Every structure is written in structure tokens, then in C-alpha cells.
Amino acid sequence: MARLLPLPGPGGIPLPDPGRIPLSLYIHWPWCVRKCPYCDFNSRACGGSPPTDSYVDCLLSDLRAQAAYVPADRTLQTIYIGGGTPSLMRGGEVARLLAGVARVFPLAPGCEVSMEANPGTVEKDSLGSYREAGVNRLSLGIQSFCGEELRKLGRIHGEEEARAAAAQAAEAFDNFNLDIMFGLPGETMETLSRDIRSAIGCGSTHLSFYQLTIEEGTAFAKRVPDGIPDPDRLAEMGDLVTGSLARAGFRRYEVSGYAREGFRCRHNLNYWQYGDYLAVGAGAHGKISTPRGVFRYAQEPSPDRYMARCRKGGLPFGSWRWVGREELPFEFMLDALRLPDGVPQSLFEERTGLPVSSVARQAEEGESLGLFSRSGGLFRATARGMDFLSDLQELFL
């Protein structure tokens, strides 16, 4: 058995049994056909054919290098291929990637393997090839079924392509998600209602409804579009989404996540429950729990520099840090409070190494404000806390 290499640095707060914490893998694909004006992800227009074969080689080389720092008995529970637009890859390239991953880490029985795809880059045959490659959950970036709103968002697809892609996803996958945005420039309650009905009618098992936010460094931040709904209307829109989806059998289990029974995204749940995740690809971020504490790292965001670093070898982390005692409560609550059902208090101790008493003061303040609950052995945001989530999370800073 190969010797486990020590992670760099002095360590953080010791964890009693990090091997119990679920482990996932995030794979980042950094290229798109065109950069959307609202997007702040690490993505860029490819301007032609991206170097897929070389990039897949580097992803697998990166993962093999990281494996030297992770106990060999840890099993991948979920895999997520995100971007960017991963559906610029062909099915054979995805198959080679996933087969390579399975040679490095054992996959749990029923391992959830998600992949993002965009309308305009997929068709029925390509979706079928992804399924054959080992992808068992698709996440389709629809954003809207309204042609005018798609145009304002700078999407490369129109209404017809959105509907066709959703229909093709339903044919190819038993489990698929649609990403939809609301609070769009010029959007009304009527147009949002049509989007909701369209999303429900596609046969998807999961819906992610995100409110448009203007992120620093995006084209929308440089020139904010006209017609974005005001805060009161945005609140009404959020209530419309939640209520409509609940009546249609989609239960809200995360701030923006709604799922039919048995189809919650296990990969995202692992994030929100402060689980572990390895990360490969340009700009990918990872988290590893060890007996010496919680270790975070990020990869080089430039695809060219990322690939050069992978070929060079050496330490497989672009930048890294151990999470300090003062950061752990906020990190945990930042994720866990996104879940309306809450998380067991015991999970806080298991995954931070800190006693529950270390957040007693913040918990009491949250309870006094009607934002936080500790009933039933859970840490949970109240209904009011979900409405003022940022204020609640900040109590734990």
C-alpha cells in the first residue's frame, strides 16, 4: 500500500473520525460557447474546439496526484461534472473521464454521477451517449422558456431549443434537473407563472429556481439591465415559485432546490451538510477532512496554466489553507442553514471538531430574533430565518 502523504502546513482543529464523512468529486469544465453576462463562474468562451483530450488527461493526472493525500478506503459517493458547458464534450470523452476516475477511487454502489448540459449543445443522441458513459443524473441549464428573456440573458438557445432539450432529457434520463432563473429583466408574475408551468410539465425530477443576482465582475455588474423587479416583487415571485412547486409535488429541501420524493441532489446535499469533496479542473475548489483538521484548496483558474501545472507534477493544490477554529462555525452554518429541514447538532461536532457549546451564544441570539431553532436536536433556520438567511448566517461569523 502506498504511503499517505501529509498535507502541507501545521493543521487545524483535530477531527475524531474524518473517515465517516461522505466524499464527493467535483470536476470542472471551464469552456462555454459564449460567456453569459450574469455568470461569475470560472468559465470562458472557447473560440473554437477546446483541447478536450489533453484536458481529460490533466484531470485524471490531477486526481491521481490528490489520491496520495487521501486514505485509499474512502469511497466516492457522488461525482459532479460542472462548468462552463461540459456538454461540449463528446460521450466517448466523458466515458474515458469517468472510467479513469473509477480506476483511482472506488465508487459507492449507486454512486450519483451528475453532469451539466446546455440547450444548443445537446441533442438526443449526445444525451444518450452521456448516459451510456455512466452519467445517471443530468442538469440542464434552461434558465427560461421565454425567448425574449433568454435573449436578455445572452443565452445561445431560444425557446424552441429549451423545450426540445427538456424533452430529449426526459427521454434519455430517469433523473434530471432543470435550472430556471427568476427576477429577470422585464419579467412579470404572468411570465414567471408560464415558466413554472413549463418546468413542471417537462417530467423532470428536480428543479433549481435561482433568483438572478448581479455579481461583481460580470457584464451585468458593469451595466445593470433595466427592468429588474423590485425587492417586494422579488419576494412575491419567490413565494409563487415555492407555492406552485409544492402543489406540483416538488418539495423545497434547499434554498433554491426542489425535488420530487427520492430525487434530492445527493452531491449538493453533501456540500450543504459540510461533507468532503475532491476538486479537479481549472478553478475547482475542494475540501478534505483529516485527523489534523479541515483542509481547503483551489486549483489554478486559467485552463492553460492549470494544464501546465498538472503536467509539471508536484503538489496538486494551486492554493490551500487549514480552516481555523474561528472560521469553522460560520463555514458549517453557511451551508447547513440552507436546508429547511436542518441538520443534526451531532453533525456539527463530527464535521468541525468543535463542541455544540461553542455556538451557544450565537444560537441564543438567533432564537431571540426568531430566526433559528435548536428543537429536536437539530440546527435549523425558522421560516423567518429562511427569509433573512444572510442575517442569520452572519451571526456565526
Side-chain angles (χ1 to χ4, degrees), residues 172-187:
F173 286 88
D174 300 323
N175 185 9
F176 72 99
N177 168 67
L178 301 181
D179 275 355
I180 309 289
M181 300 178 75
F182 71 94
L184 306 178
E187 188 172 41

Side-chain angles (χ1 to χ4, degrees), residues 290-314:
T290 81
R292 296 168 57 211
V294 176
F295 180 84
R296 285 197 175 275
Y297 62 98
Q299 305 295 19
E300 164 61 53
S302 161
D304 288 341
R305 289 196 292 271
Y306 169 77
M307 288 191 287
R309 183 181 180 89
C310 289
R311 294 185 184 110
K312 182 180 179 181

Side-chain angles (χ1 to χ4, degrees), residues 191-374:
T191 56
L192 175 58
S193 293
R194 287 200 294 271
D195 260 358
I196 294 171
R197 289 196 299 271
S198 294
I200 291 170
C202 285
S204 63
T205 52
H206 190 288
L207 295 170
S208 298
F209 266 79
Y210 301 100
Q211 180 183 315
L212 172 66
T213 54
I214 305 301
E215 303 289 355
E216 185 178 347
T218 64
F220 273 3
K222 296 174 184 175
R223 185 174 180 178
V224 178
D226 296 329
I228 293 179
D230 63 36
D232 289 341
R233 180 50 56 89
L234 287 172
E236 292 176 8
M237 288 179 162
D239 290 342
L240 177 63
V241 169
T242 301
S244 299
L245 296 186
R247 289 189 292 274
F250 287 88
R251 187 167 182 271
R252 188 187 194 190
Y253 73 98
E254 188 267 329
V255 168
S256 303
Y258 303 80
R260 295 196 183 279
E261 186 64 33
F263 289 97
R264 296 191 293 181
C265 178
R266 287 156 45 199
H267 186 88
N268 287 345
L269 273 173
N270 194 36
Y271 288 155
W272 309 139
Q273 294 171 344
Y274 209 55
D276 285 348
Y277 42 97
L278 301 172
V280 297
H285 290 246
K287 167 185 173 281
I288 305 172
S289 296
T290 81
R292 296 168 57 211
V294 176
F295 180 84
R296 285 197 175 275
Y297 62 98
Q299 305 295 19
E300 164 61 53
S302 161
D304 288 341
R305 289 196 292 271
Y306 169 77
M307 288 191 287
R309 183 181 180 89
C310 289
R311 294 185 184 110
K312 182 180 179 181
L315 196 67
F317 312 110
S319 60
W320 65 87
R321 65 183 180 88
W322 291 93
V323 181
R325 174 183 290 271
E326 69 285 353
E327 301 172 273
L328 285 164
F330 178 68
E331 281 208 354
F332 182 91
M333 294 297 183
L334 183 67
D335 294 333
L337 293 176
R338 295 177 64 93
L339 302 173
D341 291 341
V343 296
Q345 294 182 27
S346 59
L347 209 65
F348 176 83
E349 296 189 333
E350 174 190 288
R351 301 190 179 182
T352 67
L354 298 174
V356 168
S357 59
S358 65
V359 292
R361 177 185 58 79
Q362 298 96 319
E364 289 170 4
E365 183 176 358
E367 287 173 328
S368 71
L369 296 170
L371 305 177
F372 188 72
S373 169
R374 289 180 285 184

Side-chain angles (χ1 to χ4, degrees), residues 22-29 59-60 63 74-83 86 89 94-116 130 133-139 173 175 264-271 276-280:
L23 181 66
S24 295
L25 170 64
Y26 176 71
I27 302 170
H28 190 72
W29 173 270
L59 291 172
L60 295 175
L63 186 63
R74 295 198 70 178
T75 300
L76 292 180
Q77 304 296 319
T78 68
I79 300 171
Y80 195 101
I81 308 172
M89 283 190 283
V94 177
R96 183 165 75 89
L97 173 61
L98 293 176
V101 169
R103 286 193 291 270
V104 181
F105 279 97
L107 307 187
C111 178
E112 178 188 89
V113 183
S114 301
M115 178 176 166
E116 293 180 350
Y130 298 147
V135 177
N136 54 33
R137 181 180 182 276
L138 191 77
S139 184
F173 286 88
N175 185 9
R264 296 191 293 181
C265 178
R266 287 156 45 199
H267 186 88
N268 287 345
L269 273 173
N270 194 36
Y271 288 155
D276 285 348
Y277 42 97
L278 301 172
V280 297

